[in-house]
Amino acid sequence: MTIEMKMNNNGPYHSQYNGQKAKELCGCGIYPLRTKVQGPADIADGDDILDEVLFNFKANMLFQQYNVKGSGDRTLLYLTLYVHQVLRLLKDKTQDDAKKTFLEMKTKSFEHPGDKGFPLSGFLSAPANSEEADDWKSYMKQCREELWIRVVEKIYVRPTESGTPDKFWTMFCKRKFLGKVLN
């Protein structure tokens, strides 16, 4: 699937994965990924949901409301919020510091739907059981690790003289996506 940006005068960009047959966990679609990171996702041939997140990130960050149209949108929302978190963490770091931060983040536990304080509880449903919660966390852990790698590749393409990331990406860490942030 190639990602195409279609003019959308009515608000944010929605996922092209909406309506595709896919397993759902906590309302999120579980889609194949183009990745070398170990995890439960099937391997994608071409572009994947992570490419779509990065492609639409800057435009979607400008909106304060999002009308969810399917499970692809829920996955897109969570991962967009995660990219925002990555940018906040890497705002003033060099590429070497980014690698160290990645190793720290990789081992940290993160909130999932149903947890108190989960920022997207209005969009994602709580897991029906602990198995669904574990499967969701496992898939999102794989997505998060791959997204981190891709974000670092994008923001350090043109680092500043001090080695910090591209300001045209980090400027979005000042905004809140849908008025929310991940902890």
Side-chain angles (χ1 to χ4, degrees):
M1 170 184 288
T2 55
I3 299 170
E4 298 174 21
M5 184 176 267
K6 298 174 184 162
M7 289 306 291
N8 185 357
N9 298 326
N10 298 329
Y13 292 94
H14 293 278
S15 177
Q16 294 180 7
Y17 290 87
N18 286 335
Q20 279 193 9
K21 197 172 185 178
K23 180 180 178 180
E24 283 189 29
L25 297 171
C26 302
C28 291
I30 305 303
Y31 304 104
L33 301 175
R34 182 177 44 83
T35 182
K36 292 182 178 149
V37 175
Q38 294 275 334
D42 293 334
I43 303 299
D45 294 335
D47 291 342
D48 60 10
I49 187 88
L50 305 180
D51 291 318
E52 186 176 50
V53 168
L54 291 172
F55 187 78
N56 293 322
F57 176 78
K58 291 178 182 179
N60 281 345
M61 279 297 295
L62 301 176
F63 293 97
Q64 292 297 312
Q65 295 180 336
Y66 198 96
N67 182 20
V68 174
K69 293 187 177 181
S71 60
D73 280 350
R74 289 183 189 88
T75 304
L76 184 86
L77 285 176
Y78 179 78
L79 295 174
T80 299
L81 201 58
Y82 178 69
V83 170
H84 179 255
Q85 179 187 26
V86 171
L87 292 175
R88 283 187 9 239
L89 289 169
L90 299 181
K91 175 177 63 170
D92 298 321
K93 296 194 182 327
T94 64
Q95 195 164 2
D96 290 336
D97 291 339
K99 290 175 186 174
K100 293 173 192 168
T101 307
F102 172 67
L103 295 174
E104 292 171 15
M105 285 291 294
K106 195 174 166 179
T107 59
K108 272 189 178 176
S109 179
F110 57 94
E111 296 176 328
H112 63 80
D115 282 349
K116 184 178 180 185
F118 182 72
L120 294 174
S121 59
F123 294 100
L124 306 179
S125 57
N129 52 46
S130 62
E131 183 181 339
E132 183 178 9
D134 291 343
D135 290 348
W136 185 88
K137 284 185 92 167
S138 178
Y139 177 74
M140 288 303 170
K141 183 177 191 305
Q142 184 181 12
C143 289
R144 288 165 62 111
E145 288 179 19
E146 179 63 29
L147 254 179
W148 184 287
I149 293 165
R150 293 186 197 183
V151 167
V152 166
E153 286 173 0
K154 281 195 174 297
I155 67 175
Y156 290 103
V157 168
R158 293 183 307 240
T160 62
E161 289 176 13
S162 63
T164 56
D166 186 338
K167 68 180 180 181
F168 296 108
W169 277 91
T170 57
M171 69 186 213
F172 287 97
C173 67
K174 297 174 186 173
R175 301 183 64 91
K176 288 184 177 180
F177 178 59
L178 303 178
K180 301 178 184 312
V181 293
L182 284 178
N183 297 328

